[in-house]
Amino acid sequence: MAETAASARVTPVGPALPVVGKSEIKPTWCPGCGDFGVIAAIEIAVKRLQLPSQNVVIVSGIGCSSNLPHFLSSYGFHGIHGRVLPVAEGIRWANHGLTVIGTGGDGDGFGIGAGHFVHAMRRNVDLTYVTMDNQIYGLTTGQASPTSSMGQKTKSTPTGVIENPIEPVALALASGATYIARGFSGDPKHLADLIANGIQHKGFSLVDVYSPCVTYNKLNTFDFFRQRVYKLESAGHDPTDPVAAWQRALEWGDKIPIGLFYKVDKPTYEDLEEVLSAGPLALQAAGLRGKEKLLDEFV
Amino acid sequence: MTEIGVRIGGQAGDGIASIGESVARSFSRMGLHVFAHNAYQSVIRGGHVWFQARASDGRPYSPGDSADILYALDRATVDIHAPSIRPGGTVVYDPEKFSLPESGLPSGVRALEVPTLAMARKYTSQSILQNAGGIGATAFVAGIPLDLLHQVLSDSFGKKAGEIVDWNLGASAAGYHHAETHWSVHPHALAKRGAPKLLMTGNSAIALGAAAAGCKFLAQYPMTPASSIMHWMAAHSHTLGIVVKQAEDELAAVNMAIGASYAGVRAMTATSGGGFSLMVEALGMAGMTETPVVVVDSQRAGPSTGLPTKTEQGDLNLMLGAGQGEFPRAILAPSNPAEAFHAMIDAFRLAEEFQTPVLVASDFHLSEDFMTVDREEVDFNVPVPSLFTVPPGEPNYLRYQYTESGVSPRAIPGQPGLQFVAGSDEHDERGHLVSDVHAGIPRFVSERQRMMEKRMKKLDGLARSAPPPVLEGPPEAPLTFVSWGSTVGAVRDAREELTERGKVTNLLRFPTVYPFPAEPTRSLLAKAKRTLLVEANYSGQFGRLLRAETGFACSDRLLKYDGEPFHPHEIVARALEVM
């Protein structure tokens, strides 16, 4: 039985295996929520890549967007607030035959989980992190988030935010992520391209998504972004140029870029972890039977 | 039981731990039982550190109260430790380094002058050799054969051999022969007795036990006194195929371990109280998602940063209550390295069988002190069954199915047709949330209650499967010691001393502190007359647990929270008071 499970795990993608699609659970987001565009884009991406449900794990934290794993037919881990990435990394290292997608919000990833964000990127763990960035705390009914704009009035900042927002793309550049993109949930087709390419990229892929909260963020609305976003692909941006990526990452105002900022090929953590060269850890032998010589070091 | 104790003291940076370990290892290679205590401070250079190696023909369970030979690398060592040297003992020192106190040494203790610096200068002007002559002289007085000492020293240098090894052997031989000419072997010195024993710290035993249990993944953040678990695992990572990840913090460490476990490997983390405090929320997540994980809390004297290199059993309340809400857990508390090896095997077995977190309570005293172990005590023939227990494509698979035992069939990502979401929110049998649109709706109110009961039912199974309490000694004894964890060692030594004095006692110890084994405890205590609780914390945390779970209050207690492990004589004195 173990062998069956093991061989199923490493079976190449084939048409006979059901591909990730919708689950029997309907999303519980507010009507018009930006996250509908994100889940649509993920569905398009995994369908295009023909990823079978059994080989995909979607990991999330806590927040409106973190309910996402329940709405798809893959494996999922809906953990605690801010810990998406360490759980996702653990899953990757236990079985690097799996496709691991992290999902969550800006509070989860750039607030309470900011430490893990930086470290997962510098490790270049081969996973894709899709952040549904709505610049607000939605599930807790509208407090400032780490990406809320300076001056933005929220329940926790009635006279306006007085700290600078984190720019996830810039932080990713500084931290060593090897695929850094920004999408807009108002353009799911474009977003699907970014996510699909991110999944295919070997290394840490960040896809930060402007995914407006239609209930609590009256500033960063769909219209706000529709009027401002432009695509890097049509602006002559060279995604292999880190300096250009940095300049684009700092653009905010009348024009806000979306698309692929930066991409570089580097060895992943899994490539460099020698133990994993023997195959997925979950399929390797365990225990110390027959290794009694190990005790000689204690003599 | 004949024993001989060697104490070595100096400043951090003098290499005390490595000299001490060489002496301890020489004894264990002679086939003697050894307990060795490494007392250091939270400084890298300076301060005062010391190491005690106690060798015996019977099994010592603690560092003991005193020693026979003191090798002093500085004057402070003499001032601090000479009073602990038994009559007939020797202080080894180099008069070129410092002078003895004018008040002299305690009566019956004599000084052996060894020109260690001069012996070192024969080979090099560097300071690295200055201990070698002293080790040689100490070994002679302690009855360690020179060839055996040399073998241990050569091995400790490993493959980076070269002239440094030859210098060490030369200078230590000079010290040995100097003592042979001017001194005599201590009358308590023991001869070689049989095959060499294994000498290991609690942390080595913890790591070894984990590997034997099938652990494939350790994520950890450095924190004394748990760090050497990671060091052992990292050193053996490639040969044993265990992924060792130094995480960015303890939040990451425990979440990585839970992620790895969810994806089908046996996984653990280890830390001390400060790091354990950060892991608390994730423990509840492991309980809620029913993901096995093993967490070692090697306690040190708290609160807060406390005394980083000193011992305490002060985290019991924390381990019992760690995490909001209620979920099943087990807490195991080994008392020495051999038990720690088995506790880890039990911990992985229980975590896996009941799909919930299992905590292993160690402390500085257990984690970092050395004790001899016989090869038979560390059996590697541990069952490591496949974790793929659900047939792929099982129809109507329910990850959180209601069962009699509360344990549901566990699918692993990669298995076809068994996809589920492990949720930290309350969920139904399928794993679907009942926390949002269903919360408070009557059908889901009862669902919540049922799911809570399903999880908590696992406590019954854990209680049945975890190691039971053990009564050591005659059941009718007039005094029963009640103890747990590393403190059990000093109680065992105290009992031996009391027996020699004609005082009959017994000891009730608890390899499992939670789920609390209330029934067996009640019956084991039914015949107890006076009971003396011995544990290393201020408030008697275990005594309180015992009382809460059984209604039984110990008649007397001996608590210690000065950071030092219990000395047998302290326990003997208290026992004599209450008997």
Side-chain angles (χ1 to χ4, degrees):
Chain A
M1 189 172 64
E3 280 66 29
T4 320
S7 55
R9 181 192 301 270
V10 291
T11 300
V13 175
L17 295 165
V19 169
V20 177
K22 289 185 174 62
S23 77
E24 61 205 69
I25 306 288
K26 295 272 169 290
T28 47
W29 297 313
C30 304
C33 174
D35 295 348
F36 284 103
V38 181
I39 199 168
I42 293 176
E43 272 187 72
I44 297 168
V46 291
K47 201 165 178 187
R48 186 182 306 162
L49 301 175
Q50 287 289 293
L51 298 178
S53 295
Q54 78 208 46
N55 288 349
V56 175
V57 185
I58 301 183
V59 185
S60 69
I62 294 298
C64 295
S65 56
S66 284
N67 285 345
L68 186 141
H70 293 277
F71 312 139
L72 294 173
S73 65
S74 61
Y75 280 93
F77 194 102
H78 179 193
I80 48 177
H81 198 34
R83 315 298 162 216
V84 174
L85 290 173
V87 170
E89 289 167 276
I91 293 168
R92 270 294 296 174
W93 297 330
N95 187 348
H96 62 280
L98 298 170
T99 297
V100 179
I101 302 171
T103 59
D106 38 314
D108 195 286
F110 314 135
I112 190 169
H116 308 310
F117 182 52
V118 169
H119 288 278
M121 291 190 287
R122 80 179 172 93
R123 290 177 190 128
N124 199 27
V125 185
D126 187 6
L127 55 85
T128 305
Y129 188 31
V130 180
T131 49
M132 285 158 264
D133 188 350
N134 58 12
Q135 296 89 15
I136 200 83
Y137 280 76
L139 195 56
T140 51
T141 70
Q143 300 83 7
S145 103
T147 52
S148 293
S149 300
M150 194 69 138
Q152 188 167 352
K153 289 182 177 168
T154 71
K155 277 190 185 160
S156 58
T157 57
T159 56
V161 168
I162 53 168
E163 35 189 349
N164 289 302
I166 279 178
E167 175 38 63
V169 168
L171 187 54
L173 276 164
S175 305
T178 52
Y179 177 99
I180 305 168
R182 181 193 285 153
F184 172 41
S185 70
D187 190 347
K189 267 187 67 184
H190 177 247
L191 179 58
D193 292 344
L194 296 174
I195 293 173
N197 293 339
I199 292 171
Q200 283 193 301
H201 172 74
K202 273 176 63 67
F204 191 99
S205 305
L206 171 70
V207 184
D208 187 42
V209 188
Y210 292 137
S211 179
C213 173
V214 294
T215 306
Y216 293 108
N217 194 333
K218 303 299 180 200
L219 176 65
N220 309 111
T221 59
F222 272 104
D223 280 344
F224 173 93
F225 288 112
R226 276 202 192 98
Q227 287 157 16
R228 289 170 173 79
V229 296
Y230 73 94
K231 289 181 183 152
L232 288 167
E233 297 82 61
S234 358
H237 174 64
D238 173 9
T240 64
D241 179 351
V243 177
W246 185 259
Q247 284 165 342
R248 299 280 184 178
L250 300 182
E251 283 181 27
W252 177 266
D254 292 344
K255 290 280 176 200
I256 302 173
I258 58 172
L260 179 63
F261 285 74
Y262 185 62
K263 180 179 184 311
V264 62
D265 287 326
K266 282 187 180 169
T268 66
Y269 192 92
E270 295 86 318
D271 289 335
L272 298 175
E273 171 53 71
E274 202 179 302
V275 173
L276 299 184
S277 63
L281 200 60
L283 304 183
Q284 293 184 22
L288 295 179
R289 264 178 218 257
K291 294 187 172 151
E292 281 73 16
K293 251 190 93 57
L294 195 58
L295 290 173
D296 294 348
E297 72 175 82
F298 296 107
V299 174
Chain B
M1 187 163 106
T2 305
E3 65 171 80
I4 184 147
V6 175
R7 195 174 291 189
I8 300 154
Q11 294 188 3
D14 281 345
I16 302 297
S18 78
I19 310 171
E21 195 180 330
S22 295
V23 170
R25 201 162 291 285
S26 298
F27 284 137
S28 62
R29 283 202 190 171
M30 291 168 72
L32 302 173
H33 295 277
V34 178
F35 195 106
H37 175 57
N38 185 14
Y40 65 96
Q41 302 169 325
S42 193
V43 292
I44 304 302
R45 302 297 295 259
H48 174 70
V49 301
W50 57 281
F51 189 100
Q52 166 137 341
R54 181 187 185 200
S56 165
D57 53 2
R59 181 169 262 190
Y61 288 99
S62 74
D65 297 314
S66 47
D68 302 292
I69 301 158
L70 176 66
Y71 173 27
L73 275 77
D74 60 7
R75 169 65 187 271
T77 300
V78 177
D79 295 340
I80 295 166
H81 297 284
S84 305
I85 302 306
R86 288 186 278 261
T90 298
V91 173
V92 175
Y93 84 109
D94 184 350
E96 192 186 328
K97 286 181 134 183
F98 62 90
S99 317
L100 291 180
E102 281 175 19
S103 55
L105 296 172
S107 94
V109 177
R110 296 183 307 142
L112 166 59
E113 297 181 356
V114 183
T116 58
L117 292 178
M119 288 166 177
R121 277 196 294 269
K122 244 187 92 180
Y123 299 93
T124 175
S125 57
Q126 293 169 290
S127 62
I128 43 172
L129 260 195
Q130 55 172 310
N131 298 332
I135 306 171
T138 303
F140 172 79
V141 182
I144 296 168
L146 182 61
D147 58 342
L148 197 144
L149 174 72
H150 276 182
Q151 197 56 54
V152 169
L153 291 176
S154 304
D155 290 351
S156 74
F157 283 98
K159 292 188 180 106
K160 57 176 175 179
E163 57 185 5
I164 180 94
V165 185
D166 298 332
W167 295 350
N168 261 282
L169 299 187
S172 58
Y176 192 93
H177 295 310
H178 175 89
E180 201 169 19
T181 310
H182 299 280
W183 218 249
S184 53
V185 176
H186 194 282
H188 290 173
L190 291 149
K192 241 180 128 169
R193 329 165 31 94
K197 291 189 182 300
L198 309 175
L199 181 69
M200 58 177 80
T201 61
N203 277 354
S204 296
I206 285 168
L208 197 64
C215 176
K216 294 291 285 178
F217 183 84
L218 167 81
Q220 189 173 337
Y221 185 81
M223 186 169 187
T224 306
S227 303
S228 56
I229 296 170
M230 175 166 61
H231 301 165
W232 191 93
M233 285 293 209
H236 297 81
S237 163
H238 292 176
T239 49
L240 299 181
I242 296 171
V243 169
V244 177
K245 184 74 207 87
Q246 181 183 334
E248 59 269 31
D249 52 37
E250 287 89 350
L251 302 165
V254 66
N255 279 280
M256 285 171 177
I258 293 167
S261 173
Y262 161 81
V265 301
R266 292 172 178 86
M268 68 174 286
T269 182
T271 184
S272 189
F276 185 80
S277 298
L278 295 183
M279 296 182 179
V280 163
E281 189 188 13
L283 286 182
M285 177 178 81
M288 188 62 144
T289 59
E290 308 201 32
T291 309
V293 68
V294 174
V295 180
V296 176
D297 176 9
S298 181
Q299 304 159 93
R300 64 193 212 187
S304 193
T305 308
L307 293 165
T309 64
K310 297 295 164 191
T311 203
E312 195 167 271
Q313 295 175 290
D315 294 358
L316 178 58
N317 286 347
L318 172 66
M319 286 185 263
L320 286 166
Q324 70 271 33
E326 296 162 290
F327 56 92
R329 77 189 78 195
I331 307 172
L332 307 183
S335 77
N336 59 41
E339 286 180 24
F341 174 84
H342 292 285
M344 291 306 289
I345 293 166
D346 284 330
F348 276 94
R349 176 179 59 82
L350 294 170
E352 190 179 315
E353 184 177 347
F354 297 98
Q355 302 175 16
T356 207
V358 175
L359 314 180
V360 177
S362 182
D363 55 34
F364 186 92
H365 184 34
L366 167 59
S367 278
E368 297 231 350
D369 283 355
F370 293 82
M371 191 170 160
T372 39
V373 173
D374 291 325
R375 278 180 188 264
E376 306 75 68
E377 291 180 294
V378 280
D379 185 357
F380 288 176
N381 283 311
V382 180
V384 183
S386 168
L387 297 175
F388 299 93
T389 51
V390 183
E394 171 92 343
N396 304 319
Y397 170 66
L398 299 171
R399 170 64 186 92
Y400 299 106
Q401 188 179 8
Y402 296 124
T403 61
E404 197 57 41
S405 62
V407 179
S408 315
R410 177 178 164 220
I412 308 278
Q415 291 189 284
L418 304 176
Q419 296 90 286
F420 69 97
V421 177
S424 67
D425 284 56
E426 188 59 280
H427 43 257
D428 64 12
E429 285 181 284
R430 200 170 285 282
H432 295 162
L433 301 188
V434 300
S435 55
D436 49 18
V437 293
H438 299 313
I441 308 293
R443 193 190 124 210
F444 292 97
V445 169
S446 59
E447 193 83 32
R448 147 72 179 185
Q449 183 169 335
R450 217 176 146 198
M451 192 53 76
M452 190 73 189
E453 287 161 2
K454 165 202 137 54
R455 283 190 298 268
M456 296 306 283
K457 257 198 289 194
K458 295 195 258 182
L459 277 174
D460 300 338
L462 281 166
R464 277 193 300 274
S465 302
V470 179
L471 187 71
E472 296 180 3
E476 311 287 344
L479 178 69
T480 296
F481 291 104
V482 174
S483 194
W484 67 286
S486 69
T487 297
V488 162
V491 176
R492 282 175 170 153
D493 283 349
R495 279 195 60 232
E496 167 133 353
E497 195 179 326
L498 287 162
T499 306
E500 282 167 16
R501 296 191 188 196
K503 302 285 184 190
V504 180
T505 63
N506 59 28
L507 158 66
L508 183 58
R509 64 180 178 88
F510 292 83
T512 302
V513 294
Y514 196 83
F516 192 85
E519 280 316 309
T521 300
R522 265 194 218 103
S523 66
L524 288 168
L525 283 172
K527 287 181 181 162
K529 296 168 182 80
R530 287 203 83 101
T531 44
L532 176 55
L533 171 74
V534 190
E535 59 176 317
N537 55 54
Y538 179 85
S539 59
Q541 296 180 18
F542 183 81
R544 182 168 145 185
L545 174 67
L546 170 67
R547 190 169 186 175
E549 295 277 351
T550 62
F552 186 96
C554 291
S555 58
D556 300 279
R557 51 189 210 168
L558 175 61
L559 306 174
K560 190 170 178 176
Y561 36 86
D562 60 4
E564 297 300 320
F566 276 97
H567 296 293
H569 75 89
E570 298 164 333
I571 300 169
V572 168
R574 184 82 176 108
L576 293 174
E577 255 173 52
V578 304
M579 275 180 97

